[in-house]
Amino acid sequence: MSLEWGILIFVWSLTFSLISLIPKNKRRIAFVAFLSMQVITNLFGVLVVEFNLISYPVRFFSEVYRASFTFEYFIYPSVCSIFTVFYPYYRSYLYRFGYYAAFSTAITVPEFFLEQYTDVINYIQWEWYWTWFTLFLTLLLSRRLIVWFFKDLSNEVSSNNKR
Amino acid sequence: MGFDQIIMMLIWLSGITGFVVLTPKHLKRRLLLATFNFQALVWLCSLILVSNGFISYPIRDFPNAIDVLLATEYVLYPLLYGFHIIYKPKNLVTRRIYLLTSVSIITAIDVILVYFTDLVLYVHYTWYWKWITIFVLFHLTNITFNWFMKEEVAFENEKRVSP
């Protein structure tokens, strides 16, 4: 087994153990965060490969899917659900900005080293700061979506149960 | 632009306009959640089917990146499941017939695409396998969706995601 497959398996198991840390009473929020981010990344993951910006030489479903199944389908949605569950909405703007920046950096740094030293990911026409920037934007987007989603949903659920 | 490309664009357009126009405002969240939920499973299922050579999509929207047709597997079928959820009837018998009809409609669309276009090709597959696949996917999605919607009390504790 090559180094790359070892990394992929390690990343899958690490993320599994991370999402098991999500508190039980926040599982629904995590669930919505996971699904909404998955819809976003599935499309964007396909787009960056379609336009030859990034390639993933070692990947799952390699015959039919040339984007990274691991990252788009599981890792980033899981990170997003952890991001949402522990989001410090009661803190100052600066603190929250730092929270976004910390999550973006926490993914960009390992990705940069994986790009340099392994075949898990290859930048064709891409730079690390583009990664950082898109991560930041997609986290912002999914945060908006989740806030909108949970705003009135409880009314919908209760009205449905009464009906 | 060929006939198949036009059909493909029509599917994308009808999916997006259908979502914008036909969804009642107070049911948008419910529909989106169901759609996202179904999309996650369809994505995985079609990747497995395509990589094992059961189905192929000769003409597709992002041919360099993925061998799956996103028009149906990413947009149309998930949205149809969403509409299925929000218009679900209350009566139990009607609900059974309604479920069978919804599954049959999706199968029928797929079979029409097989016969009249090059968008979908059943390599080692038949319409009744498609029907069973969709039926199983409906039930799998129902599990998580119903889990999400039940337990109003638990839900009340979680909804406090302040912006």
Side-chain angles (χ1 to χ4, degrees):
Chain A
M1 194 179 65
S2 70
L3 170 72
E4 279 78 9
W5 285 106
I7 291 171
L8 288 186
I9 290 165
F10 171 74
V11 171
W12 273 83
S13 28
L14 178 72
T15 315
F16 260 118
S17 42
L18 280 180
I19 54 175
S20 64
L21 294 179
I22 290 173
K24 206 175 169 209
N25 65 343
K26 292 226 169 181
R27 281 198 184 147
R28 280 180 181 75
I29 290 173
F31 183 65
V32 177
F34 187 91
L35 289 180
S36 60
M37 188 48 100
Q38 200 178 46
V39 167
I40 297 169
T41 53
N42 275 350
L43 185 63
F44 280 94
V46 162
L47 283 175
V48 291
V49 173
E50 179 73 20
F51 294 111
N52 266 322
L53 307 176
I54 298 180
S55 79
Y56 303 90
V58 178
R59 56 181 189 262
F60 287 102
F61 298 110
S62 52
E63 299 284 304
V64 296
Y65 187 40
R66 282 157 292 279
S68 169
F69 179 78
T70 308
F71 187 71
E72 328 289 2
Y73 194 84
F74 185 63
I75 308 299
Y76 193 33
S78 309
V79 169
C80 177
S81 60
I82 292 164
F83 171 88
T84 311
V85 162
F86 298 110
Y87 188 79
Y89 56 83
Y90 45 84
R91 303 296 283 264
S92 67
Y93 272 115
L94 192 67
Y95 190 94
R96 279 184 274 162
F97 179 84
Y99 190 73
Y100 278 99
F103 269 79
S104 309
T105 313
I107 299 182
T108 308
V109 171
E111 190 182 279
F112 178 78
F113 284 106
L114 288 177
E115 204 275 332
Q116 293 281 310
Y117 299 110
T118 72
D119 269 347
V120 175
I121 179 167
N122 255 332
Y123 293 165
I124 301 171
Q125 297 173 318
W126 194 264
E127 297 294 340
W128 63 267
Y129 46 81
W130 278 108
T131 298
W132 195 89
F133 200 62
T134 45
L135 290 172
F136 196 96
L137 277 184
T138 42
L139 283 176
L140 212 70
L141 184 66
S142 96
R143 177 72 202 161
R144 289 288 100 205
L145 202 69
I146 289 156
V147 170
W148 167 79
F149 189 88
F150 278 95
K151 212 169 51 188
D152 290 325
L153 188 77
S154 56
N155 300 334
E156 265 176 50
V157 172
S158 47
S159 73
N160 184 61
N161 288 350
K162 275 175 214 141
R163 188 150 44 89
Chain B
M1 194 164 41
F3 173 71
D4 294 321
Q5 270 88 1
I6 293 174
I7 299 290
M8 195 162 72
M9 281 187 58
L10 282 179
I11 296 174
W12 273 89
L13 280 177
S14 62
I16 292 162
T17 34
F19 168 67
V20 174
V21 177
L22 293 180
T23 323
K25 208 180 164 205
H26 67 289
L27 292 175
K28 265 205 171 126
R29 293 177 177 79
R30 177 177 288 261
L31 178 121
L32 270 189
L33 180 70
T35 303
F36 288 2
N37 206 336
F38 195 63
Q39 191 267 342
L41 283 178
V42 172
W43 188 272
L44 183 62
C45 177
S46 45
L47 275 179
I48 292 170
L49 288 177
V50 170
S51 65
N52 288 302
F54 290 110
I55 298 182
S56 89
Y57 301 91
I59 291 179
R60 48 189 190 268
D61 16 32
F62 300 105
N64 293 332
I66 185 166
D67 289 5
V68 172
L69 178 71
L70 261 63
T72 55
E73 315 295 311
Y74 183 76
V75 180
L76 188 66
Y77 298 161
L79 273 173
L80 285 176
Y81 177 81
F83 281 112
H84 166 83
I85 285 288
I86 63 173
Y87 292 118
K88 201 178 247 182
K90 210 152 183 357
N91 183 296
L92 261 185
V93 182
T94 334
R95 198 177 266 199
R96 296 275 146 71
I97 301 166
Y98 179 76
L99 170 70
L100 298 182
T101 319
S102 299
V103 175
S104 305
I105 286 173
I106 294 184
T107 312
I109 294 173
D110 219 58
V111 171
I112 288 170
L113 291 178
V114 169
Y115 274 97
F116 295 102
T117 70
D118 280 338
L119 294 174
V120 190
L121 183 69
Y122 288 172
V123 185
H124 296 290
Y125 222 59
T126 46
W127 66 267
Y128 49 84
W129 276 110
K130 185 76 194 181
W131 196 94
I132 294 166
T133 314
I134 299 288
F135 187 78
V136 171
L137 287 180
F138 263 54
H139 277 281
L140 288 179
T141 323
N142 280 344
I143 295 172
T144 45
F145 187 78
N146 292 340
W147 161 77
F148 188 91
M149 285 297 171
K150 76 168 189 205
E151 291 176 47
E152 214 184 315
V153 185
F155 188 75
E156 284 292 322
N157 296 330
E158 281 168 52
K159 73 163 197 253
R160 279 177 273 110
V161 192
S162 142

